[in-house]
Amino acid sequence: MLRLRAGSPAGPEGPEGPAAPVVYEIIANGCFLMDTSDGRSERLLIDAALDGLPADRERPSVLIGGLGVGFSLARAAEQPRWGRITVVEREEAVIDWHRGGPLSAVSAAALADPRCAVLHTDLVAHLRGETGPRTTYDALCLDIDNGPDWTVTEDNGSLYSPTGLAACRDRLSPGGVLAVWSAQPSPAFEEALRNAGFSEVRTEEIPVVRGVPDVVHLARKGA
């Protein structure tokens, strides 16, 4: 069960006090996934992928796996270098929250951008070519779980398996970048990326107020 909950203003980017904006939280089966209080790591997911592409790659395409609260989509739409921007989201409720609900404040401008398209389908199935043409992308920016070691649903685990990473690699153009968001570092996932044939594997951290940092795992497909 997925629901959107209005919470209390919090986080380094949200002012506190009675006039502060409402913070919205996405909850899945009672588990907190994300909220609108910050967004630094979701933006880094896009920024790091774009920075990792060859400088001469004109109008690169990006697949954003998971619409979430919309920070990653909004960031991509703010950057004129991106060409085609595709978002894959399997939960119809999430799409509705953006198209006419409370989260439209984050994503309305991006959804109106002619470069952007939202596909209502499962990310893993899409990457495997089960829901449409096997389009390639210059970057895959994936954020559908709390990380490779903490999946929202059991079937999401296949994304981080050898076959799932192979599907990611096949969907990338030569020299393309895979970026995966996680709520904690995962050395085991870094090794899995190397074993899957990716190079330049690295992890960028985003410090948080308490606990372990959020991270973005990055890897490149060979040219």
Side-chain angles (χ1 to χ4, degrees):
M1 178 180 178
L2 198 69
R3 64 191 180 97
L4 187 68
R5 181 174 69 188
S8 301
E13 294 183 3
E16 297 182 352
V22 174
V23 171
Y24 290 99
E25 303 171 342
I26 294 181
I27 309 295
N29 298 320
C31 177
F32 171 83
L33 294 184
M34 63 189 71
D35 63 27
T36 58
S37 68
D38 192 343
R40 290 173 298 152
S41 58
E42 292 91 338
R43 297 182 187 105
L44 177 63
L45 184 71
I46 302 298
D47 294 346
L50 187 60
D51 291 344
L53 290 172
D56 60 354
R57 186 74 56 97
E58 296 183 3
R59 307 290 289 169
S61 58
V62 59
L63 171 67
I64 299 173
L67 180 54
V69 297
F71 285 136
S72 294
L73 169 60
R75 186 64 154 195
E78 289 171 356
Q79 297 167 326
R81 185 182 169 194
W82 289 116
R84 177 167 46 96
I85 301 171
T86 303
V87 181
V88 170
E89 174 54 59
R90 73 179 180 184
E91 299 292 345
E92 186 174 8
V94 174
I95 297 173
D96 290 343
W97 295 334
H98 283 276
R99 285 189 167 154
L103 297 181
S104 62
V106 177
S107 60
L111 291 174
D113 190 312
R115 298 173 296 164
C116 297
V118 177
L119 305 181
H120 179 205
T121 190
D122 179 76
L123 175 63
V124 176
H126 179 74
L127 290 171
R128 291 177 175 168
E130 299 171 1
T131 62
R134 296 185 62 85
T135 307
T136 58
Y137 303 89
D138 295 300
L140 302 178
C141 297
L142 310 184
D143 179 8
I144 64 168
D145 293 298
N146 282 324
D149 303 324
W150 187 3
T151 58
V152 174
T153 60
E154 185 175 344
D155 55 330
N156 279 0
S158 64
L159 175 63
Y160 313 104
S161 69
T163 56
L165 293 178
C168 290
R169 189 185 62 241
D170 291 345
R171 283 297 193 127
L172 283 170
S173 60
V177 173
L178 172 63
V180 179
W181 188 94
S182 178
Q184 60 188 15
S186 177
F189 184 59
E190 290 184 346
E191 187 63 21
L193 288 168
R194 296 186 182 95
N195 292 338
F198 288 96
S199 62
E200 299 180 37
V201 175
R202 61 189 177 89
T203 299
E204 293 198 17
E205 296 187 355
I206 304 91
V208 295
V209 176
R210 295 181 298 274
V212 297
D214 294 338
V215 304
V216 174
H217 292 288
L218 296 157
R220 182 190 296 277
K221 179 179 177 176

